């Protein structure tokens, strides 16, 4: 019996570390896919992030400043209208549709403000009705669409489609592998032993990934110069969520090591 125990020990140890390695790979894939699915690939999350970013004020400023030559001192487009436009764009991008911005409400408001402005200078209503306000409307549409409907958006749509499919496959595979490891360890009573290392090593690798992500984001922002500031702002918030996930992973690992320590003391 003692001989068998000694001869089987290396074999069992190799199985243990093989299971741990497989679990670490699965946990890292799960971390990456879960982070992507809950942030950059989530339409609602990105809508909130983009609306609260600098791109909203940038679009509003571009439209209003470009129309100053028409003598309109008041804001043609307000914050609420800007948010509505951005929501339309984000929804169409995540649905994989061609981006088409509806500015009917803005155009109607613009015509009303133009009439009020000219009326203040004593221009008769009959003259105002004959003014070529369509040129102003075209200016608004041109500014908004040139800012948001471009080749970069098309590339982004393609990237989102590929990433969604890839991360979904990664999530399913990693969850299945981890569940199989859990079931196996329940029978062998080694779930704490294996998962203390899986969570610790997996958390460490996830932290390294987050550290290496920052220069990649900076390079990506240079490729999409029009959205560089927005990419930097949003990536910072996403990395914060990633670090929170890593901290949870490390805390679980510490708890498992503590439990393992007390179990060993109890057995001894």
């Amino acid at each position: 019996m003692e001989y068998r125990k000694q001869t089987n020990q290396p074999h069992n140890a190799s199985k243990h570390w093989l299971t741990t390695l497989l679990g670490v790979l699965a946990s890292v894939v799960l971390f990456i896919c879960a982070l992507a699915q809950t942030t950059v690939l989530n339409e609602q999350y990105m809508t909130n992030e983009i609306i609260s970013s600098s791109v909203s004020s940038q679009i509003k400023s571009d439209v209003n400043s470009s129309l100053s030559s028409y003598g309109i001192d008041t804001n043609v487009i307000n914050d609420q209208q800007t948010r509505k436009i951005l929501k339309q764009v984000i929804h169409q991008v995540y649905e994989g549709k061609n981006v088409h911005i509806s500015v009917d409400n803005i155009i109607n408001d613009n015509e009303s403000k133009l009439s009020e402005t000219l009326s203040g200078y004593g221009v008769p209503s009959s003259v105002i009705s004959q003014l070529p306000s369509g040129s102003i409307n075209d200016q608004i549409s041109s500014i908004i669409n040139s800012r948001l409907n471009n080749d970069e958006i098309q590339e982004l749509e393609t990237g989102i489609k590929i990433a969604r499919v890839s991360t979904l496959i990664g999530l399913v595979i990693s969850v299945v592998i981890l569940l199989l490891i859990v079931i196996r360890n329940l029978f062998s009573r080694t779930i704490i032993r294996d998962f203390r290392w899986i969570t610790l090593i997996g958390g460490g690798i996830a932290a390294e990934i987050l550290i290496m992500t920052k220069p990649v984001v900076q390079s990506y922002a240079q490729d999409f110069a029009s959205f560089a500031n927005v990419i930097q702002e949003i990536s910072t918030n996403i990395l914060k969520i990633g670090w929170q996930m890593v901290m949870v992973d490390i805390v679980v690992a510490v708890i498992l090591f503590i439990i393992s320590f007390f179990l060993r003391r109890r057995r001894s």
Side-chain angles (χ1 to χ4, degrees):
M1 292 292 293
E2 185 66 23
Y3 174 76
R4 287 182 180 178
K5 185 177 180 180
Q6 292 177 0
T7 55
N8 288 335
Q9 188 174 359
H11 179 65
N12 292 335
S14 63
K15 277 188 175 182
H16 159 58
W17 286 109
L18 181 62
T19 302
T20 302
L21 177 60
L22 184 61
V24 168
L25 293 176
S27 67
V28 172
V29 173
L30 179 62
F31 167 79
I32 296 173
C33 295
L35 181 60
Q37 284 282 355
T38 55
T39 55
V40 69
L41 298 180
N42 186 289
E43 180 182 338
Q44 186 61 43
Y45 175 85
M46 291 302 294
T47 299
N48 296 333
E49 286 292 316
I50 292 175
I51 286 177
S52 59
S53 69
S54 60
V55 70
S56 181
S57 58
Q58 185 179 2
I59 292 173
K60 176 184 173 182
S61 177
D62 287 348
V63 173
N64 291 325
S65 62
S66 65
L67 296 175
S68 60
S69 59
Y70 292 93
I72 303 176
D73 297 329
T74 56
N75 290 331
V76 174
I77 178 173
N78 55 37
D79 293 331
Q80 183 178 1
Q81 291 168 331
T82 306
R83 289 192 293 268
K84 186 176 181 180
I85 291 172
L86 289 173
K87 286 180 180 180
Q88 291 179 26
V89 174
I90 296 168
H91 177 70
Q92 291 171 0
V93 167
Y94 276 82
E95 290 294 321
K97 301 176 181 177
N98 293 326
V99 178
H100 176 72
I101 310 305
S102 175
V103 293
D104 294 341
N105 294 333
I106 298 174
I107 290 173
N108 293 335
D109 291 343
N110 172 60
E111 291 178 350
S112 175
K113 290 177 180 178
L114 177 62
S115 299
E116 292 176 1
T117 302
L118 295 180
S119 297
Y121 289 103
V123 180
S125 58
S126 58
V127 176
I128 295 175
S129 61
Q130 297 176 1
L131 290 175
S133 59
S135 61
I136 303 178
N137 299 338
D138 294 339
Q139 178 79 347
I140 295 176
S141 299
S142 176
I143 293 168
I144 295 175
N145 285 289
S146 63
R147 171 66 66 179
L148 297 175
N149 193 16
N150 49 41
D151 293 338
E152 294 174 353
I153 290 292
Q154 299 296 327
E155 294 180 15
L156 186 60
E157 287 181 354
T158 303
I160 289 174
K161 290 179 181 178
I162 296 174
R164 275 183 162 174
V165 174
S166 301
T167 53
L168 182 60
I169 294 174
L171 278 173
V172 172
I173 294 176
S174 59
V175 169
V176 169
I177 290 175
L178 290 173
L179 285 176
L180 290 175
I181 293 176
V182 169
I183 294 173
R184 176 186 178 277
N185 288 352
L186 285 176
F187 284 102
S188 61
R189 297 180 180 180
T190 57
I191 187 168
I192 295 178
R193 184 191 66 180
D194 285 349
F195 272 87
R196 64 180 180 176
W197 291 109
I198 290 174
T199 51
L200 180 63
I201 299 174
I205 295 175
E208 289 293 329
I209 291 174
L210 293 178
I211 293 173
M212 293 186 295
T213 298
K214 191 171 183 179
V216 175
V217 171
Q218 293 176 348
S219 175
Y220 189 77
Q222 293 176 356
D223 295 335
F224 294 88
S226 300
F227 302 97
N229 293 334
V230 180
I231 292 173
Q232 292 287 358
E233 292 175 21
I234 295 175
S235 63
T236 300
N237 294 333
I238 292 175
L239 289 177
K240 287 181 181 178
I241 296 176
W243 282 112
Q244 292 173 358
M245 295 171 64
V246 169
M247 291 304 298
V248 171
D249 204 4
I250 299 299
V251 168
V252 171
V254 171
I255 293 174
L256 291 177
F257 270 96
I258 293 174
I259 294 174
S260 178
F261 173 76
F262 280 107
L263 288 177
R264 284 185 178 181
R265 288 193 61 181
R266 186 178 178 181
R267 290 170 183 172
S268 61

